[in-house]
Amino acid sequence: MATVENTHNEDARFTFGLVSDVLSALETHGYRLPDEEGPRHRALGETLARLAEVTRVFEGGAS
């Protein structure tokens, strides 16, 4: 799985705007981050890593 850092270095389109749009879409559809700080940070980190993978796979990259 690609890291967020690798995706950022390879593709300038992976921006805070993209991340913000995806998080907003999830919240619009009823998904919520955990309230507690530790689980919230872990969830955000995992979400960023998975989003990096989704962007690569979306364009036909290997998963």
Side-chain angles (χ1 to χ4, degrees):
M1 178 180 352
T3 65
V4 174
E5 293 82 12
N6 288 342
T7 300
H8 174 67
N9 291 335
E10 295 170 8
D11 191 344
R13 298 172 295 173
F14 196 92
T15 63
F16 179 76
L18 173 64
V19 173
S20 177
D21 289 348
V22 170
L23 293 177
S24 291
L26 289 169
E27 289 177 350
T28 295
H29 288 274
Y31 295 94
R32 300 287 178 256
L33 285 166
D35 290 330
E36 298 87 23
E37 188 175 332
R40 182 181 183 89
H41 289 168
R42 284 189 294 280
L44 283 170
E46 186 69 22
T47 299
L48 288 174
R50 300 292 175 109
L51 180 57
E53 186 169 346
V54 166
T55 58
R56 187 180 61 258
V57 171
F58 185 81
E59 293 189 321
S63 56

